[in-house]
């Protein structure tokens, strides 16, 4: 399966794309990666130690959900669509920051999906020689507005 860069599946522009590689996408999962480095897409968001604060976990997981959605849309010839993060549940990190030089693997698993609402379990692991170290986990709930809903939301109009 040939994959494009993560940015090709997201409706974001640089510097707001926080993922480098799309490793795999299936009917219910997506796996992406990014390196915490001044030479990566994360460079604008790193702290003085060159680390990424752990609170970025929610956006890394959300963008992996976006890659999942964008990849599936691309299979039908659709461009990436704007999605909305409704909230997160039980999002926990075991580290205060993702250290400089770390390679992060972000995976999502669809738990529930209907026409517009979806829920995904997300996990972030740091690559290690033997077993990868899980450093973040949580569930994100998302909403996929159609074009008319998006216009109303942007313009602030109500029915």
């Amino acid at each position: 399966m040939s994959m494009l860069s993560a940015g090709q599946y997201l409706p974001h522009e640089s510097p707001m794309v926080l993922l480098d590689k799309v490793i795999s996408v299936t009917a219910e999962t997506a796996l992406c990666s990014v390196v915490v480095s001044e030479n990566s897409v994360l460079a604008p968001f790193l702290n003085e130690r060159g680390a990424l604060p752990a609170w970025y976990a929610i956006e890394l997981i959300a963008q992996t959900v976006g890659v999942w959605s964008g990849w599936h849309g691309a299979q039908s010839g659709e461009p990436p669509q704007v999605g909305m993060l409704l909230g997160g549940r039980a999002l926990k990190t075991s580290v205060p920051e993702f250290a400089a030089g770390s390679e992060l693997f972000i995976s999502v698993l669809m738990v529930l999906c209907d026409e517009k609402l979806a829920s995904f379990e997300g996990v972030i692991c740091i690559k290690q020689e033997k077993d990868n170290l899980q450093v973040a986990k949580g569930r994100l709930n998302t909403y996929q507005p159609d074009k008319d809903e998006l216009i109303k939301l942007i313009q602030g109009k109500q029915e």
Side-chain angles (χ1 to χ4, degrees):
M1 172 185 329
S2 177
M3 294 289 172
L4 300 174
S5 69
Q8 298 297 310
Y9 297 114
L10 296 169
H12 300 41
E13 293 182 19
S14 181
M16 297 313 298
V17 175
L18 303 184
L19 303 170
D20 278 327
K21 297 178 187 172
V22 177
I23 298 169
S24 66
V25 179
T26 70
E28 297 179 345
T29 67
L31 176 62
C32 296
S33 69
V34 64
V35 175
V36 180
S37 164
E38 292 181 7
N39 298 319
S40 78
V41 295
L42 295 177
F45 310 103
L46 303 181
N47 62 24
E48 62 279 353
R49 290 177 298 287
L52 183 71
W55 53 266
Y56 277 92
I58 194 167
E59 183 63 19
L60 293 170
I61 295 170
Q63 286 197 17
T64 303
V65 170
V67 165
W68 177 88
S69 178
W71 184 88
H72 284 280
Q75 304 313 298
S76 304
E78 296 177 19
Q81 303 296 312
V82 172
M84 298 183 153
L85 175 61
L86 296 179
R89 293 181 52 112
L91 184 62
K92 297 187 191 272
T93 60
S94 60
V95 295
E97 61 188 18
F98 305 123
S102 300
E103 183 173 7
L104 306 178
F105 290 100
I106 307 95
S107 61
V108 296
L109 168 65
M110 180 183 53
V111 177
L112 168 78
C113 186
D114 70 10
E115 190 175 306
K116 295 184 178 188
L117 294 171
S119 185
F120 290 84
E121 287 288 338
V123 174
I124 300 177
C125 294
I126 294 177
K127 183 178 181 178
Q128 295 186 328
E129 280 189 38
K130 292 188 178 188
D131 294 325
N132 292 340
L133 175 65
Q134 182 178 305
V135 292
K137 183 176 183 176
R139 181 175 290 193
L140 298 187
N141 299 314
T142 62
Y143 181 73
Q144 182 74 56
D146 61 36
K147 290 180 183 178
D148 291 336
E149 289 174 314
L150 192 58
I151 290 169
K152 286 178 185 178
L153 287 168
I154 291 170
Q155 294 177 348
K157 293 182 179 178
Q158 297 181 0
E159 289 187 49

